[in-house]
Amino acid sequence: MKQHINKAIIATALVLTGTLGCNKKLNVFDENNPTTLSYFKTASELQNGVNAIYSTLRSGELVGREWFFTHDMRGGEAASGGPQLEAPRAELLSQPSPAPSNAVMSNVWSGCYQMINRANLVLDKAPAITDNTALRDRVVGETKFLRGWAYFELVAQWGDVPMYTQPVASSTDFKGKSPAADIYALIISDLTAAAEALPESYGPSDNGRATKGAANSLLGKVLMQKGDYDAAKTALLKVYGKYTLAPNYQWNFDGDIKDDNNAAVASGHEFNSESIFEVVFVDKGDNNFNWGYNGEGSTSPLSTVRNQEYGITWGNVIPSNQFLNEFEANDPRYKFTIFEEGDTILKSGPGTPLKLTADMMNIAASTRNGSTKKRFFRKYNIYDYVNSGFHPGGINQRVIRYADILLLLAECEAEVGTPAQAASYINEVRSRPGVNMPPVTLASKNDALKAVMHERTVELGAEELASFDILRWRKKGYFPSIIPERVPGQVDLFPIPAIETSTNPLIK
């Protein structure tokens, strides 16, 4: 079921402002308008603080919209759906490096630093809270996980960035750039501490919170990006066997099963056995996407517009020819991942099945194995609204799932020269229920790496992972020694956004 962490989100002003309101005669707190000085006195209030970090995570600046563009536009899996693709997103897709003024890139930067500042406030207040130390310590673990996630997005995409470990106290409290090595050290420290503090799981009312498995998974991913494969393997093995692949591949990308009143039922596909960390969204109608981008709307919970961007209503993004041609001819994941002309969509609610025709698809055509037709991403799509107007989605974003961990372990084994063990992990994914692809046999490091690269593409395509994969493999010199360059000419690191350089005197 979904809802959970939505119900205790607190307003941005509460988390970010610290000015004490008083006059010359009455030095008292206004209980109806708490500040950071008057709030955070109990573990429950501290939990509200971490809820506000989750709120920013799912905002339009991050997972609700712009985050998936910064990854998918640079991962080789996406192409423009046509002239309707807005200029900042098209620039990410078509240019080696975006301009410092790029709005998509700038939003992700701002969203990450808002998460970090909120996290720093929670961590600053936590030591003084003693009424419920078990809850306090768990909240600290969640907070360090979320701060680690935000800093990983920044260091992997920008390199040297400002590092804040205390809440910003004034408008002139600037930091210059810290070396990427220092940022990675902080992330590893945060995630190690988070893994120790967090539980293995939660009850249904707290689904969506970070767990021990999520912290160890992200730690392994960070260590791999840093190039420490031995340490990454150690972290990832702490996750191995704790999850299982979902019995249906498509369950990783659809929403909860609904009853006749459009209410989610307990047997939904979200938070399934494969899900390690997902960001909660809820379909509440046509008007609940927060275009203010701050994560807190006038109503809660909130939705995402991913289905609009990658579907055929807006049609901004379609699968690239390169991505389409990566699938083996008989791989059932192709049809789980892509819809194309001639396919029939079975709606989840009442109504007749919809057969897709070219004239109903507001998108450019693509070519696979010489066949040119219109295609769009099936993952995270809402079939009931595929041929209608604006309807933001409520499907949770699976940020980390178990198949990703299996393939990262395969990559670790390939790197340390044990291709047979790499094949074993790959074959766990290939033999998953409903896929049942033939097993691979690997005898060399290069063969193992090539198999990992293929499997990560077809299993994890359009899941905001390929851009980091490309950065990691390019750094190792695997383009074109093992496979052709995925995104020729692309610059590895983003420029520091103009919104930062124009206001921060310590960064030029």
Side-chain angles (χ1 to χ4, degrees):
M1 299 176 69
K2 81 167 60 167
Q3 42 188 310
H4 322 324
I5 62 173
N6 297 307
K7 57 191 177 184
I9 300 295
I10 57 176
T12 308
L14 173 62
V15 180
L16 295 183
T17 59
T19 302
L20 175 62
C22 60
N23 59 35
K24 294 180 179 179
K25 296 182 179 180
L26 294 176
N27 185 19
V28 297
F29 291 113
D30 179 356
E31 293 183 357
N32 295 318
N33 293 283
T35 70
T36 58
L37 292 179
S38 63
Y39 204 69
F40 298 120
K41 303 300 184 184
T42 67
S44 178
E45 291 178 348
L46 197 71
Q47 184 174 22
N48 285 344
V50 78
N51 289 347
I53 312 172
Y54 286 107
S55 181
T56 299
L57 176 64
R58 67 190 184 133
S59 72
E61 285 187 317
L62 292 172
V63 179
R65 192 182 192 200
E66 306 298 10
W67 169 79
F68 52 76
F69 280 112
T70 58
H71 288 285
D72 290 344
M73 298 296 94
R74 293 168 59 82
E77 303 158 316
S80 171
Q84 66 271 25
L85 180 62
E86 295 164 307
R89 296 162 182 81
E91 182 184 42
L92 288 173
L93 183 65
S94 63
Q95 298 300 315
S97 177
S101 60
N102 184 278
V104 176
M105 177 191 72
S106 300
N107 272 308
V108 170
W109 174 278
S110 296
C112 286
Y113 275 110
Q114 184 177 90
M115 284 183 67
I116 289 163
N117 194 54
R118 292 182 172 194
N120 288 340
L121 181 58
V122 170
L123 296 175
D124 182 64
K125 297 295 183 178
I129 292 175
T130 58
D131 69 311
N132 185 338
T133 56
L135 177 58
R136 177 201 66 191
D137 293 347
R138 194 203 79 195
V139 166
V140 168
E142 291 179 76
T143 301
K144 289 188 174 183
F145 171 86
L146 293 167
R147 185 171 74 172
W149 184 91
Y151 268 126
F152 184 42
E153 290 291 315
L154 290 166
V155 73
Q157 295 183 95
W158 279 274
D160 300 345
V161 296
M163 185 169 72
Y164 295 85
T165 57
Q166 297 293 323
V168 174
S170 74
S171 60
T172 59
D173 194 5
F174 296 109
K175 298 285 187 183
K177 291 191 289 186
S178 291
D182 293 349
I183 306 295
Y184 272 112
L186 176 64
I187 297 169
I188 292 167
S189 174
D190 274 354
L191 296 177
T192 301
E196 298 210 354
L198 292 173
E200 297 279 0
S201 62
Y202 297 88
S205 64
D206 281 310
N207 277 341
R209 296 190 183 278
T211 62
K212 185 181 298 292
N216 279 318
S217 296
L218 185 56
L219 177 59
K221 293 162 79 75
V222 168
L223 290 164
M224 286 187 71
Q225 209 69 17
K226 187 172 176 284
D228 191 345
Y229 290 91
D230 287 332
K233 178 180 173 181
T234 298
L236 297 171
L237 283 174
K238 292 178 182 178
V239 184
Y240 183 69
K242 299 293 180 66
Y243 299 83
T244 59
L245 298 173
N248 184 321
Y249 180 78
Q250 187 59 31
W251 288 7
N252 293 304
F253 317 107
D254 61 10
D256 283 339
I257 299 170
K258 304 294 179 64
D259 62 19
D260 291 340
N261 296 315
N262 201 39
V265 298
S267 58
H269 299 156
E270 293 172 337
F271 306 111
N272 63 46
S273 64
E274 188 169 343
S275 178
I276 298 176
F277 182 68
E278 57 189 78
V279 175
V280 175
F281 295 107
V282 177
D283 180 353
K284 296 288 285 184
D286 294 348
N287 299 311
N288 71 312
F289 180 74
N290 186 328
W291 291 103
Y293 273 34
N294 61 8
E296 294 114 2
S298 57
T299 60
S300 183
L302 298 180
S303 60
T304 171
V305 291
R306 182 191 173 108
N307 58 292
Q308 297 280 143
E309 304 281 3
Y310 287 32
I312 60 173
T313 305
W314 290 354
N316 287 331
V317 179
I318 61 172
S320 69
N321 295 347
Q322 179 189 76
F323 176 59
L324 294 169
N325 285 293
E326 186 70 28
F327 287 88
E328 297 162 68
N330 60 338
D331 191 336
R333 287 170 294 189
Y334 177 77
K335 283 297 186 181
F336 284 132
T337 304
I338 304 296
F339 273 134
E340 58 190 5
E341 291 177 48
D343 286 344
T344 297
I345 294 178
L346 298 176
K347 297 186 177 183
S348 63
T352 59
L354 177 69
K355 185 173 182 178
L356 295 172
T357 61
D359 59 358
M360 71 172 59
M361 301 167 75
N362 179 39
I363 54 176
S366 57
T367 302
R368 180 185 186 231
N369 297 331
S371 173
T372 300
K373 58 176 68 174
K374 292 185 176 182
R375 301 176 173 91
F376 62 98
F377 287 106
R378 180 176 181 178
K379 289 181 177 180
Y380 296 111
N381 224 306
I382 301 178
Y383 311 144
D384 293 10
Y385 307 100
V386 75
N387 196 25
S388 64
F390 179 62
H391 192 103
I395 299 175
N396 288 3
Q397 177 79 34
R398 280 68 155 185
V399 177
I400 309 174
R401 63 183 179 94
Y402 188 50
D404 181 18
I405 302 310
L406 291 173
L407 294 176
L408 291 175
L409 280 167
E411 185 174 338
C412 288
E413 297 293 349
E415 286 288 349
V416 299
T418 49
Q421 184 57 46
S424 177
Y425 289 125
I426 292 171
N427 289 333
E428 285 192 53
V429 175
R430 289 176 68 84
S431 65
R432 64 179 302 146
V435 173
N436 297 318
M437 289 294 288
V440 298
T441 301
L442 305 170
S444 71
K445 176 178 178 177
N446 278 12
D447 285 348
L449 287 169
K450 189 172 183 179
V452 166
M453 293 170 178
H454 165 76
E455 206 64 30
R456 285 189 66 79
T457 301
V458 297
E459 170 70 24
L460 305 168
E463 296 183 42
E464 297 67 60
L465 298 169
S467 59
F468 281 8
D469 289 346
I470 287 173
L471 292 174
R472 186 170 67 252
W473 299 335
R474 189 182 290 141
K475 187 176 181 180
K476 298 285 291 187
Y478 295 153
F479 304 129
S481 63
I482 295 182
I483 61 172
E485 173 66 69
R486 289 284 174 90
V487 188
Q490 186 182 77
V491 174
D492 284 350
L493 299 177
F494 284 144
I496 300 294
I499 57 168
E500 182 73 24
T501 58
S502 64
T503 57
N504 185 344
L506 302 182
I507 298 179
K508 299 298 181 184

